[in-house]
Every structure is written in structure tokens, then in C-alpha cells.
Amino acid sequence: MKSVQKENSQIVSNSYQGKKYHIVTYGCQMNVHESEKLRGILSVLNMSETEDIDKADVIVFNTCCIREGAEDRAYNNVIALKPIKEQDPSKVIVMCGCMPQQKKGKYNLKEKLPFVDIIIGTHNMNMLDQYLLKHAITGEQIYDIIEKPVTGMDNAKAIRDDHLNAYVNIIYGCNKFCTYCIVPYVRGRESSRLPQDIYLEVRDLVQNQGYKYITLLGQNVNSYGKDLKYPMSFAELLKYLCTIEGDFKIKFMTSHPMDFTDDIIKVMKTEYKVAKTLHLPVQSGSSRILAKMNRHYNVKHYMGIIKRIKRAIPNISLSTDIIVGFPGETVRDFEMTLKLLKKVKFDQVFAFMYSKRTGTPAATFENQIDEKEKNVRLNKLLRLQKMIQKEQIKKYFNKTYDCLIRHINGVAVGITDGGKEIYIPGYKYVNQNYFAPVKVENIRNHKLSGVIK
Ligand code: 5AD
Ligand code: SF4
């Protein structure tokens, strides 16, 4: 990027002034938040956002490569812009994020997408403004993938979409190397933000911007702080953030069963401001498959956490991720996953068919499962989970949940930490968006209603 900086000094006027941009985001919350930061970066060039892709002068695709489907979607949508770019060559198309960062991705982007003006990875997205300025001078395609971050995205001011929930990064990268997962290859090693920087960001969001939920983000948030000069555990970070004054709750994702220690359960139980919800991916109900996945825990360990957290926090809302059809997964292994779902009774399950990612160990494992069989297993699992969730609604009866009181379509509604809506008929609200306990008194047609206690 040295040359970019040198050429920037020659720029007399900002050629993007007053132009419009549109961002298309694929993938996880991390990407959603990074797109919020890209908005901040683009606003520095005095550009404004448009919801209408046809009206945009700059179109940014912030991509994901976790599964083949995500890649295909992004690739096909970028390809679809080719005729538009041919018609109007002044439009600038950018592709960034995880997909270009892959060493051996499915598509050779540089070769296949010559009409895309800027192709950059995860480690240099924060310099998008500089790449745009360079492109305005040369008019040539920029293809720049770097191996390590120059500076993080933290300097970029996020322009957030949501006005209730704010995402806040606490740790970047992943050191776990689960054998199916591409993330460590495209996001690099774990790197924690300083606690005081996180504290100041959260305090500003809560006290000056009125956010009610703060969702702490990382590929493995439980690993937070291990790499800091003065290490701080994730549980300690949670406690520290709970000292911020204000009416708000803290959520976090994603957790890893290997690093999800009992001190976190303790803080979740004792700190009012930590939301009573946990996303804890199990991936499989077979310890044999978990070992092949390099997950570093077995089913007994996972079930131990579930038992302890349910005992400590009876109202906890639980969710998980499952991969079906991992190489070598037998029908028996798969049935053990179904058994685990029946035992835990998650409030929500995100299930995926295993997708081969070139460059990961599992891509070369023997006994790959065919797509048809994966599909059969996925559907069976989803059907089971649907039944479990239907049954789960009964557990709310006569229980009291701390809720965010909102006013939706003229009715007061309490939103539980797990996102469940409880209607509060007849409640005369004076204001909204505050936390209060709501007792469920009725369940009708799978809808909950109750009263503020
Ligand atoms: N195939 C299918 N699902 C995957 N995940 C990660 N990598 C793959 C893959 N290769 C799932 C995991 C993870 C979630 C974010 O995506 O379940 O927890
Ligand atoms: Fe991927 Fe495993 Fe890291 Fe999660 S913990 S990002 S699944 S390697």
C-alpha cells in the first residue's frame, strides 16, 4: 500500500464526493459488523448509502466462504453485474472479505472477474477508501491480498444498522483449526482488543447512543484475552463491562465448549446485565466425529456444561450449530446427534450439511458422504428440532423472564433474552425500550402472553 499513499498525496479532489454506495453482505455477524465499518470508511469519502443497487456508483460485495453455497451465491451475484458494468464503466465494483482471502478458493477471482475493479481480502478491507482513491487515478483493476493485518478495523467508525443491538468486536481470528473450517485460514490467528478500548466503545453505545443490547463478537469469544500482554479472561471482561452504568444487556457469540469455563457460567448467573442466552455450537453428538473434527471435547464434556448452566440459570435460552454428513459420519453417529438434540432441547438449532473446503484437513478425509444422504440427514434433523421447539413453548408457562419492553404495532411486547416475544395485552406503556420482568400467563396458538410483574 506504500504506492497508494504516495499517489494519494497527488489527489487534488476526492472523485467520490457526493456519490452513492451500496453494500451487499454475506455470512456471519462478524461480516455484518464489518460492513457497518465499511460504511464508516465510505462516509469519510463523503459518499452516501443507497438501498437501490441500480443507483449506486460503488457496489461492494463483502463475502463469506464458510460453505460452498455462500461462495456460489456471492460469485453469481457479482457475475450478474457484468452487463451493468459494461453499460456504465464508471460504476466501481468491489469484492472483499473472506472469499478473496482464500488461497485455493473454488473460483480464480482475478482471472474470472476482470470487470471487478477492486478485489481485496479480510486483512486490508479497512483501507478500502485508499484503494478507491488509487483506482480513481489508475482506472485499473486492483487485486491485493495480504497475509497479515496492517491495522485492525478498529479505527473505522461503524455506522450501525440496528438501533437496539450493537455488535462490538472483542477478538479477531481463530486458533482452533477445526478440521472442516476455513475460518482460521482467512481470518488469521487470535488477536484480542484491549479491554479499555472495548469498555469505552460499549460505554459510548449505551450511554450516548441508547443501545439496549451489546453483542460481543469473536470466532471464539471465550478465548478472549489470552494473547494480551496483561491477560484478562472472558469472564473478567464480562464483569468489567457490567460496571458500565445503564439499562442494557450483554450478549456474546460465538462460544467454544473447550474454552467455556465455569467462571463464565458464574458471571452469567450473578450479573444481571449478562443476557441469559448462550450459543454453544456442539457440531456433532458423536465423540468419535468430534475427535475427527478436532473439537478438543467430547459429548460428556459438552453435556456437563449444559447440565451446569441449566442448573445455574433455569431460564437460559440455548442454541447450537450442527454439521451433518461430516466425512465418515455413520448413521449411528448421526443418530447420536439426534439423541443429543432430544436431551438438550435447544431453543434454536442452526444445522448445515458438511461442505468441503479446499485447504482444510477434512477435505482430504476418506468416506466423504454423498450430497443426497447429507440432505436426507439434514431434513430429518430439522424435522426433529421443529417438533422439539413446538414442545418447548410449554416451558414458558408461569415463568418470569426479564424482558425488553417494546411497542410493536400498538401492542406492548416483552422480548426475552433469547428473543422470544411475550405479548402484554392491556398494558398502558408510558415509554418503551426498558427492561422489566414479565410473567407468562397464557399460551395460545404458540403465542405467549403475560403481565409485567
Ligand atoms: N461445512 C458446513 N458447515 C460448516 N461450518 C463451518 N465450516 C463448515 C463447513 N465446512 C458451520 C459450523 C460453524 C458455523 C458457523 O458454520 O457449524 O459453527
Ligand atoms: Fe471455525 Fe472451529 Fe474456529 Fe469456529 S472454532 S471459527 S468452527 S475453526
Side-chain angles (χ1 to χ4, degrees):
M1 282 305 286
K2 263 193 202 129
S3 60
V4 174
Q5 267 139 20
K6 210 166 115 203
E7 274 157 304
N8 277 353
S9 60
Q10 301 165 0
I11 296 168
V12 191
S13 67
N14 166 13
S15 40
Y16 294 93
Q17 175 95 26
K19 296 219 166 147
K20 293 200 174 339
Y21 70 85
H22 180 87
I23 304 179
V24 185
T25 308
Y26 301 88
C28 61
Q29 285 80 1
M30 202 79 91
N31 276 18
V32 170
H33 185 42
E34 263 161 8
S35 287
E36 292 175 338
K37 290 187 180 169
L38 288 178
R39 286 159 128 185
I41 290 167
L42 294 173
S43 73
V44 171
L45 294 178
N46 284 323
M47 297 177 75
S48 61
E49 190 171 20
T50 171
E51 291 290 306
D52 186 351
I53 191 165
D54 296 335
K55 295 207 175 105
D57 305 293
V58 174
I59 304 165
V60 181
F61 289 88
N62 187 9
T63 61
C64 167
C65 62
I66 194 105
R67 283 171 290 276
E68 198 175 357
E71 273 197 280
D72 291 347
R73 234 172 296 133
Y75 184 80
N76 292 334
N77 287 342
V78 173
I79 285 281
L81 283 185
K82 196 175 174 199
I84 296 163
K85 173 77 182 174
E86 277 165 2
Q87 237 175 37
D88 181 358
S90 74
K91 281 192 192 284
V92 178
I93 303 176
V94 179
M95 193 174 193
C96 62
C98 293
M99 208 171 149
Q101 191 68 42
Q102 290 174 98
K103 278 227 169 70
K104 293 180 199 140
K106 178 172 172 184
Y107 304 101
N108 182 342
L109 302 176
K110 188 170 165 50
E111 206 175 87
K112 293 259 175 71
L113 302 174
F115 64 95
V116 174
D117 300 278
I118 299 171
I119 302 180
I120 51 180
T122 53
H123 297 314
N124 47 356
M125 272 159 70
N126 56 333
M127 296 189 291
L128 178 59
D129 52 341
Q130 297 182 51
Y131 286 108
L132 281 167
L133 291 170
K134 179 177 179 184
H135 182 264
I137 300 168
T138 67
E140 283 169 13
Q141 187 191 49
I142 297 174
Y143 180 88
D144 197 14
I145 311 299
I146 61 174
E147 284 312 310
K148 281 203 174 115
V150 183
T151 56
M153 284 286 262
D154 294 339
N155 296 337
K157 185 179 150 29
I159 298 181
R160 292 177 165 86
D161 239 342
D162 198 318
H163 296 292
L164 274 182
N165 173 55
Y167 292 125
V168 173
N169 285 120
I170 62 165
I171 180 168
Y172 300 98
C174 182
N175 292 358
K176 281 283 180 282
F177 288 94
C178 301
T179 52
Y180 51 79
C181 188
I182 192 82
V183 169
Y185 305 90
V186 294
R187 290 276 171 184
R189 294 297 70 73
E190 283 172 2
S191 158
S192 302
R193 280 179 77 193
L194 289 174
Q196 56 268 45
D197 289 349
I198 301 169
Y199 180 96
L200 290 175
E201 186 175 352
V202 173
R203 193 177 68 181
D204 176 57
L205 289 163
V206 169
Q207 297 182 354
N208 302 330
Q209 302 188 45
Y211 278 95
K212 291 289 161 189
Y213 297 111
I214 300 295
T215 303
L216 307 177
L217 290 182
Q219 310 297 345
N220 174 9
V221 287
N222 311 139
S223 201
Y224 174 78
K226 289 178 186 162
D227 58 316
L228 292 173
K229 188 168 174 209
Y230 300 103
M232 177 185 235
S233 72
F234 179 62
E236 286 165 341
L237 176 74
L238 282 177
K239 269 190 120 164
Y240 178 43
L241 297 177
C242 285
T243 62
I244 294 172
E245 269 181 46
D247 187 30
F248 72 102
K249 298 256 184 131
I250 302 171
K251 298 183 177 184
F252 51 86
M253 66 191 322
T254 292
S255 287
H256 190 296
M258 154 88 177
D259 299 314
F260 190 85
T261 43
D262 284 351
D263 54 348
I264 305 171
I265 299 184
K266 198 168 164 204
V267 179
M268 289 182 77
K269 179 187 164 82
T270 53
E271 292 290 344
Y272 167 79
K273 286 174 183 159
V274 181
K276 307 304 178 241
T277 180
L278 175 67
H279 182 63
L280 192 64
V282 64
Q283 312 296 2
S284 169
S286 156
S287 294
R288 195 181 74 83
I289 294 295
L290 289 174
K292 284 187 157 200
M293 287 177 163
N294 194 31
R295 289 290 289 177
H296 301 280
Y297 59 85
N298 56 23
V299 172
K300 193 169 165 218
H301 176 85
Y302 187 88
M303 291 307 291
I305 299 174
I306 297 295
K307 195 172 153 196
R308 290 194 296 282
I309 198 156
K310 279 187 173 178
R311 197 191 304 139
I313 310 165
N315 274 357
I316 190 84
S317 162
L318 294 170
S319 58
T320 200
D321 290 344
I322 303 273
I323 297 177
V324 299
F326 183 78
E329 184 190 69
T330 61
V331 170
R332 204 175 114 73
D333 292 316
F334 173 65
E335 278 168 359
M336 288 163 96
T337 301
L338 300 182
K339 196 170 141 201
L340 186 138
L341 296 192
K342 284 185 206 157
K343 261 197 182 163
V344 180
K345 298 190 172 70
F346 292 100
D347 296 272
Q348 214 173 348
V349 170
F350 302 91
F352 313 100
M353 291 197 284
Y354 168 71
S355 171
K356 218 175 178 178
R357 304 285 67 206
T358 310
T360 62
T364 59
F365 285 1
E366 283 177 358
N367 300 323
Q368 299 280 335
I369 312 289
D370 80 48
E371 293 299 305
K372 229 170 129 190
E373 176 60 19
K374 283 187 218 171
N375 209 357
V376 168
R377 291 184 193 180
L378 179 70
N379 285 325
K380 195 167 176 190
L381 186 146
L382 292 176
R383 272 199 305 275
L384 170 72
Q385 181 56 27
K386 207 172 164 189
M387 264 167 53
I388 293 172
Q389 266 169 243
K390 255 186 164 172
E391 278 293 300
Q392 277 294 85
I393 192 116
K394 289 185 193 149
K395 78 172 184 187
Y396 288 89
F397 186 66
N398 245 340
K399 291 216 185 91
T400 302
Y401 292 82
D402 200 48
C403 290
L404 183 72
I405 309 300
R406 300 208 58 203
H407 165 198
I408 303 172
N409 300 330
V411 185
V413 181
I415 317 286
T416 67
D417 288 347
K420 199 98 192 147
E421 294 181 342
I422 309 174
Y423 289 86
I424 314 167
Y427 175 65
K428 295 267 175 291
Y429 43 77
V430 199
N431 55 11
Q432 62 163 345
N433 294 346
Y434 65 96
F435 289 97
V438 178
K439 187 176 178 196
V440 177
E441 294 194 328
N442 255 303
I443 304 175
R444 208 170 292 152
N445 296 331
H446 299 283
K447 286 210 165 83
L448 307 176
S449 59
V451 291
I452 294 196
K453 293 302 283 176

